Amino acid sequence: MNFLTMNFQLLISGLLGTFLLSAGIALCIIPISMSVKKNPNSKLFVFFTLLTGCFQFYFWGLWATVCVSIIYSFINKPDVTWDWVYWLSGFMWCMSIIARLHSSEQAHIDDLDKKNQSRGACLYTLLLISFFITFSIKPHWSYNTYGWYLNATNYSQYMKRDQININDKPNIEHFFTAYASVIQASSLLHGVSTSPSQEQDFAKAQIQFNNAYKSIAQCDENVLNELYPNWGTQSKENLENALALINTAIKKPINEKMLGEADILILKFDNWLKINWTNILISINHKYPEYPVKRKLKH
């Protein structure tokens, strides 16, 4: 469904882009034609010729930005795994405008103009490919020139990258370390009853819960809240407190009442995390590009 939605968005964008390009070129060509009739060497002719070239240069950069931003908005979704399919489809849509315009123009010009038009099409094709590759690798570069479009469409969150302070990065690592430890410990406890090495698995679970508590305790609540609203508060009030209760409760003899209190806190945190997980990952990916954003939510 994501793939079809992306292609539909690119189709609509392509139709609008074709109209915008055709209208822009037409507005530039009209004064060029008028100036040629009067004086082919006039300054107006040179001015509008340069203006047409600048318009197309700017447009192809904008069109590449449109395509790349739409692709990024989909491949950043945790349930999307085959990124290359999205990139391939997006690239084909990106080149479709040039192919469409080239074929329509070829049908209305003579042989000499066809050669000149083909040279121009090749030039703009190379230009568009360059823009597409550049913005795919360095998406934030497009923000400097086309930030107005990215802000208007809310795609700036995928293309604009504000780096996290290097001193704040450990907080992210501590959270995910704690989260991974909780998953491992829970898995061990669930399998204890059927495990041939119950004592060893239970001891491993205790170690994992203890490691999870140590990791989450090192997280700065304010830093996580700045990265994503209420992330730090939820982690501290629910997850950290739950782990503190669990670490106390699973010491023999096991305190069932305390485990019940911990379960309530874990459930509250789990429900919050389910709702906000994707947006947390997106927020991290924008500000911390080198972090592996595609982490699946496990329970």
Side-chain angles (χ1 to χ4, degrees):
M1 188 62 184
N2 284 325
F3 184 70
L4 294 176
T5 304
M6 185 197 76
N7 280 277
F8 179 74
Q9 288 187 17
L10 288 169
L11 170 62
I12 299 301
S13 300
L15 294 175
L16 293 174
T18 302
F19 172 78
L20 177 62
L21 178 62
S22 301
I25 292 176
L27 290 174
C28 293
I29 288 178
I30 291 173
I32 290 176
S33 301
M34 294 175 63
S35 61
V36 167
K37 291 180 180 179
K38 295 180 179 179
N39 182 5
N41 298 319
S42 67
K43 293 181 179 179
L44 281 177
F45 173 77
V46 175
F47 171 76
F48 282 108
T49 301
L50 290 174
L51 183 63
T52 303
C54 290
F55 168 75
Q56 292 206 53
F57 183 89
Y58 186 85
F59 173 83
W60 294 124
L62 174 61
W63 175 235
T65 299
V66 171
C67 293
V68 171
S69 61
I70 291 175
I71 295 169
Y72 265 115
S73 71
F74 282 91
I75 65 172
N76 271 312
K77 295 182 178 181
D79 56 335
V80 172
T81 53
W82 289 11
D83 292 4
W84 67 271
V85 176
Y86 288 76
W87 282 113
L88 179 61
S89 179
F91 177 75
M92 293 174 66
W93 279 110
C94 187
M95 305 308 298
S96 65
I97 288 186
I98 287 184
R100 192 181 305 119
L101 291 175
H102 180 66
S103 60
S104 63
E105 289 177 1
Q106 287 281 316
H108 299 92
I109 56 179
D110 55 36
D111 292 338
L112 180 60
D113 287 337
K114 282 184 179 180
K115 293 181 180 179
N116 295 329
Q117 199 270 345
S118 295
R119 293 193 192 99
C122 289
L123 176 63
Y124 290 126
T125 299
L126 291 175
L127 182 64
L128 181 55
I129 292 174
S130 299
F131 276 129
F132 185 89
I133 293 175
T134 300
F135 295 156
S136 298
I137 298 172
K138 298 287 186 180
H140 54 285
W141 284 9
S142 65
Y143 188 82
N144 296 329
T145 306
Y146 306 105
W148 60 269
Y149 162 77
L150 296 171
N151 288 328
T153 56
N154 203 32
Y155 285 136
S156 59
Q157 59 178 308
Y158 304 104
M159 306 292 279
K160 183 182 179 183
R161 296 183 184 274
D162 299 319
Q163 298 295 318
I164 292 176
N165 187 306
I166 191 169
N167 296 321
D168 296 341
K169 291 181 180 180
N171 290 278
I172 300 173
E173 297 294 343
H174 290 320
F175 173 82
F176 281 109
T177 298
Y179 180 68
S181 296
V182 170
I183 293 172
Q184 293 175 16
S186 299
S187 178
L188 286 168
L189 284 183
H190 288 154
V192 161
S193 59
T194 57
S195 173
S197 52
Q198 294 183 4
E199 291 295 329
Q200 292 90 332
D201 287 349
F202 187 80
K204 289 178 182 177
Q206 286 179 311
I207 293 172
Q208 290 293 344
F209 276 125
N210 188 48
N211 290 338
Y213 177 75
K214 289 179 180 178
S215 294
I216 202 67
Q218 295 181 66
C219 291
D220 188 315
E221 180 178 346
N222 294 326
V223 170
L224 293 183
N225 282 338
E226 288 177 6
L227 287 171
Y228 187 80
N230 212 30
W231 184 15
T233 302
Q234 288 288 334
S235 298
K236 289 292 183 179
E237 291 183 356
N238 292 322
L239 183 58
E240 184 176 334
N241 288 337
L243 289 171
L245 289 171
I246 290 172
N247 282 323
T248 302
I250 60 177
K251 294 177 181 178
K252 295 183 178 180
I254 294 176
N255 189 323
E256 296 289 348
K257 181 180 178 181
M258 199 172 287
L259 280 178
E261 294 174 0
D263 282 342
I264 294 173
L265 293 175
I266 288 287
L267 183 61
K268 287 174 62 178
F269 181 75
D270 191 49
N271 289 335
W272 180 87
L273 197 62
K274 283 181 181 178
I275 297 171
N276 296 278
W277 182 256
T278 299
N279 291 329
I280 288 174
L281 296 184
I282 290 174
S283 179
I284 293 172
N285 191 42
H286 302 153
K287 300 180 180 180
Y288 190 179
E290 59 269 38
Y291 198 84
V293 68
K294 285 194 173 181
R295 290 172 175 263
K296 303 297 183 183
L297 181 59
K298 299 178 181 178
H299 303 288

